[in-house]
Amino acid sequence: MLGRLVTVEGGEGAGKTTQMTFIRDYLERKGYQVVMTREPGGTPLGEEIRALLLEPRAGGMAPSAETLLMFAARAEHLEQVVRPALSAGYWVLCDRFTDATYAYQGGGRGLPLERIAVLEAWVQDELRPDLTLLFDVPVVTGLARAGRRGATDRFESEDLAFFERVWAIYRERAALYPERYRIIDASRSVEAVRAELETVLAKWLEQQ
Ligand code: TMP
């Protein structure tokens, strides 16, 4: 693979989507060609699966069905978008990836992490993110910000304990993979977060 896979993660209302274009513009200024995308989604089929996953539904969804749908969307995304872009030398900037499955389906829903690891190996082979920017904002603040955006989706309507479990897994994974994780303090202003992103990205690029 010639390009690099950069993923952006965090809880609800962490402001990561707002900063995606800033990260893309920064990388482009440094001379890289960037494909910006998201999960679940990023392809026509993936976006249809995303709608199924996010729309509130009576009776909920079995955690294993939810997980398999995440990986179905991911398989399509990898095949149609991510692998071709990386092979052509593009950098792929992805709003959420498999760390979100560990955090939400593993932590939030309580699905055994080993099962997620099996699907990860099956769908991705060796492909893992080169860099993961984890947007850190207190769960309560993030939920208040997300609530302000209006209608809540199937995940946003979960309770505080769910998001505490999500965050615990993100924290655990950041500690497990310090070489690729960088934690961004996202509780501050948009400008302060941008400044931190610039510093972190510059330092990471230097190390490559
Ligand atoms: P977004 O809010 O970042 O657009 O992501 C949509 C929701 O999907 C978010 O609540 C997190 C959730 N999600 C999972 O539960 N598992 C996953 O693997 C991914 C990629 C997202």
Side-chain angles (χ1 to χ4, degrees):
M1 294 289 174
L2 293 168
R4 297 300 181 96
L5 175 59
V6 178
T7 61
V8 181
E9 299 280 357
E12 307 301 310
K16 62 185 173 48
T17 308
T18 312
Q19 300 288 3
M20 287 280 291
T21 47
F22 175 77
I23 299 168
R24 181 199 53 198
D25 293 348
Y26 179 85
L27 292 172
E28 285 183 347
R29 279 206 305 281
K30 295 288 167 188
Y32 304 103
Q33 287 182 296
V34 181
V35 171
M36 202 165 82
T37 184
R38 69 170 179 181
E39 288 205 352
T43 65
L45 175 62
E47 292 295 329
E48 285 186 46
I49 296 174
R50 179 187 178 92
L52 285 174
L53 281 161
L54 296 193
E55 102 197 353
R57 57 183 58 240
M61 188 185 287
S64 48
E66 185 177 286
T67 306
L68 290 164
L69 283 172
M70 290 292 176
F71 272 102
R74 183 161 300 135
E76 180 76 2
H77 190 217
L78 288 173
E79 170 100 8
Q80 302 289 339
V81 176
V82 179
R83 287 189 192 280
L86 293 174
S87 299
Y90 287 87
W91 283 41
V92 176
L93 175 61
C94 192
D95 191 345
R96 295 197 190 278
F97 195 61
T98 309
D99 290 294
T101 316
Y102 281 98
Y104 281 77
Q105 283 64 55
R109 304 283 188 225
L111 201 91
L113 301 182
E114 313 82 69
R115 290 201 192 163
I116 298 170
V118 170
L119 293 170
E120 180 182 39
W122 181 40
V123 169
Q124 295 169 221
D125 292 317
E126 303 298 310
L127 184 68
R128 300 290 181 278
D130 295 290
L131 170 65
T132 298
L133 299 165
L134 178 60
F135 280 52
D136 180 2
V137 77
V139 171
V140 180
T141 315
L143 285 179
R145 281 189 193 167
R148 250 182 269 141
R149 286 201 298 250
T152 51
D153 67 33
R154 212 168 52 81
F155 290 101
E156 287 167 345
S157 49
E158 288 296 335
D159 62 11
L160 197 61
F162 176 92
F163 290 107
E164 298 285 5
R165 295 195 298 277
V166 166
W167 189 250
I169 296 288
Y170 271 134
R171 208 180 296 118
E172 203 177 289
R173 292 182 66 74
L176 206 58
Y177 304 107
E179 70 294 343
R180 77 167 162 97
Y181 261 96
R182 296 291 180 275
I183 298 179
I184 307 295
D185 178 0
S187 61
R188 296 170 307 159
S189 68
V190 171
E191 294 70 31
V193 174
R194 280 188 183 163
E196 187 180 350
L197 278 170
E198 255 191 49
T199 310
V200 165
L201 288 168
K203 209 161 155 196
W204 186 80
L205 287 171
E206 247 172 52
Q207 293 162 353
Q208 300 310 297

